[in-house]
């Protein structure tokens, strides 16, 4: 796998230098996919599964015009993946061996998002959200363009998964279109002007041929490659010495709780290095090909985060569960949000409990049917609930002038709690087995679940009232400032509401003045 990901870099350079003909680019990716699956991995069956599933989904969405089009594609794609997950599980195929389910998981994201995008392209614009309008497919692609998207060489194996309209605008160069007004406004760095021989349309402003400027993504791509290689070296030098499986040994059981706790933190970090490696290397190849381009910032610098799948620094330094999860497997999270969570919510309604359950269920089935996945997701849901309770009630205390000096300490303990809890929760995700997971959790005295129970019990017994009493005196001193803030805010935006949490504390005090901070 690593060899294939590294080989995608020279392939990306070749791809970028192809004549600017979309059909040629589609065909190039399909050929590369065939070579990789047939010759490198000996997974010809994976190619046939992907090809067959793609054509069936294309036919469904082509002939079924209504809402049942994407629904049938979703049921078919996820159902087919589930059958292969079950086959893998019953035949005891370990995850050390790459099989059909790997590329098929990426395929499910592409097929289902494509189906909904086609459905959105047939709906009135007024019924769509801004995101849906930007991704809606108003004209069905040719089979060649469609398969070029499915088998794009930079993401068909391990991701990143991306939207069809991103791929279309990438291959027809619309992604790189910059008019002279925008170019001068942003003071863009010197860019490569692409020959527009394949597109004879005229610019509506200048009347001349449309110009496409392709920024050079070599440096950001090499940065991804460099970090990927660095994490490979980490695994080779010390990562293999800290396996989560060692927590099943008698030696681990006989160590002190503190040593067990430290070991689990290190082992869990080493376990996610393999995800960092494949995601970084794959993203780097996409950047090098140009697909990772995501417009320009206000200073005219190119942004390369279109297909980013993980923000490592943000993940490792996150001081709350929400921030941590938002930076992990980001493209899958976008898919779950835009094509499950929001799609099962009735128009004009807010997402409800059913939306959450549907999203959780889809994510679990998409991963497979090992008990470990479900233990992680269910426990993770409880951890998220505890995080919301603590953040909603505890954090405002450290935003008041009286306790603001302790805010860094609060942030540190937030980080410590987040990391120790997530490392505990992901143990079954790495172990997969129910029995082995319970064995390790027992050795750790179920500290994660104990913490969940204690926090919920404390607030059930009225701990939030204790918090309110602690800051009551400080709150009384600030009532005048709250009133002043309400008046100032009303003059500014017509609203006079103050964000108060369950303890009766304004959500933020800053330099002795009250400010509104949106509660997460």
């Amino acid at each position: 796998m690593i060899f294939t990901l590294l080989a995608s870099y020279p392939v990306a350079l070749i791809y970028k230098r192809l004549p600017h003909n979309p059909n040629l680019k589609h065909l190039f990716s399909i050929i590369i996919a065939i070579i990789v699956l047939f010759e490198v991995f000996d997974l010809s069956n994976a190619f046939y599964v992907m090809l067959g599933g793609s054509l069936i989904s294309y036919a469904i969405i082509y002939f079924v015009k209504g809402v049942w089009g994407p629904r049938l594609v979703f049921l078919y794609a996820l159902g087919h993946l589930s059958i292969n997950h079950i086959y893998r599980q019953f035949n005891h195929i370990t995850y050390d061996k790459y099989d059909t389910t790997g590329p098929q998981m990426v395929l499910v994201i592409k097929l289902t998002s494509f189906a909904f995008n086609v459905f959105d392209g047939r709906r009135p614009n007024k019924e769509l959200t801004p995101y849906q309008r930007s991704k809606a497919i108003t004209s069905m692609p040719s089979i060649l363009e469609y398969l070029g998207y499915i088998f794009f060489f930079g993401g068909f194996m391990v991701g990143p998964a991306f939207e069809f309209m991103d791929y279309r605008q990438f291959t027809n160069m619309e992604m790189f279109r910059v008019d002279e007004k925008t170019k001068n406004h942003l003071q863009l760095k010197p860019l490569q002007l692409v020959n527009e021989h394949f597109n004879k349309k005229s610019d509506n402003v200048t009347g001349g041929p449309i110009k496409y400027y392709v920024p050079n993504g070599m440096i950001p791509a090499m940065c991804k490659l460099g970090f990927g290689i660095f994490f490979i070296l980490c695994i080779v030098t010390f990562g293999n010495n800290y396996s989560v499986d060692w927590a099943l040994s008698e030696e681990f059981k006989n160590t002190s709780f503190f040593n067990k706790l430290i070991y689990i933190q290190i082992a869990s970090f080493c376990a996610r290095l393999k995800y960092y490696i494949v995601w970084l290397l794959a993203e780097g190849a996409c950047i090098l090909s140009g697909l990772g381009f995501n417009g320009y910032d206000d200073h005219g610098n190119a942004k390369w985060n279109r297909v980013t799948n993980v923000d490592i620094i943000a993940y490792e330094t996150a001081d709350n569960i929400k921030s941590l999860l938002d930076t992990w497997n980001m493209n899958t999270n976008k898919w779950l949000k835009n094509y499950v969570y929001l799609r099962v919510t009735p128009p004009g309604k807010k997402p409800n409990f059913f939306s959450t359950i549907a999203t959780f269920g889809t994510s679990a089935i998409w991963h497979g049917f090992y008990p470990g996945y479900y233990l992680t997701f269910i426990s993770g849901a409880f951890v998220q609930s505890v995080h919301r309770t603590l953040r909603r009630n505890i954090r405002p205390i450290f935003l008041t002038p009286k306790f603001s000096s302790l805010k860094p300490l609060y942030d540190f303990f937030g980080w410590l709690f987040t990391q120790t809890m997530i490392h505990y929760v992901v143990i079954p995700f790495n172990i997969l087995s129910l029995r082995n997971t319970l064995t390790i959790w027992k050795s750790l005295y179920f500290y994660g679940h104990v913490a969940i129970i204690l926090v919920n019990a404390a607030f059930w017994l009225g701990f939030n009232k204790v918090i309110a009493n602690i800051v009551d005196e400080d709150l009384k001193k600030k009532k005048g400032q709250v009133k002043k803030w309400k008046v100032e805010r009303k003059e500014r935006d017509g609203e006079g509401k103050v964000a108060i949490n369950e303890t009766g504390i304004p959500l933020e005090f800053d330099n002795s003045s009250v400010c509104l901070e949106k509660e997460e």
Side-chain angles (χ1 to χ4, degrees), residues 260-280:
K260 291 176 183 176
L261 189 63
I262 295 299
Y263 182 86
I264 287 298
Q265 312 312 306
I266 299 174
S268 295
F269 170 77
C270 292
R272 64 176 172 266
L273 289 181
K274 60 180 179 289
Y275 296 101
Y276 288 166
I277 292 168
V278 296
W279 286 340
L280 287 173

Side-chain angles (χ1 to χ4, degrees), residues 74-84 365:
F74 215 114
L75 291 173
Y76 165 74
L78 197 60
H80 193 187
L81 173 63
S82 299
I83 292 172
N84 286 334
I365 294 172

Side-chain angles (χ1 to χ4, degrees), residues 484-504:
K484 179 182 178 182
W485 178 84
K486 289 173 66 176
V487 173
E488 291 176 350
R489 183 166 185 258
K490 189 172 184 179
E491 292 175 352
R492 185 169 62 254
D493 59 13
E495 294 289 338
K497 298 178 181 178
V498 180
I500 302 291
N501 82 331
E502 293 175 353
T503 64

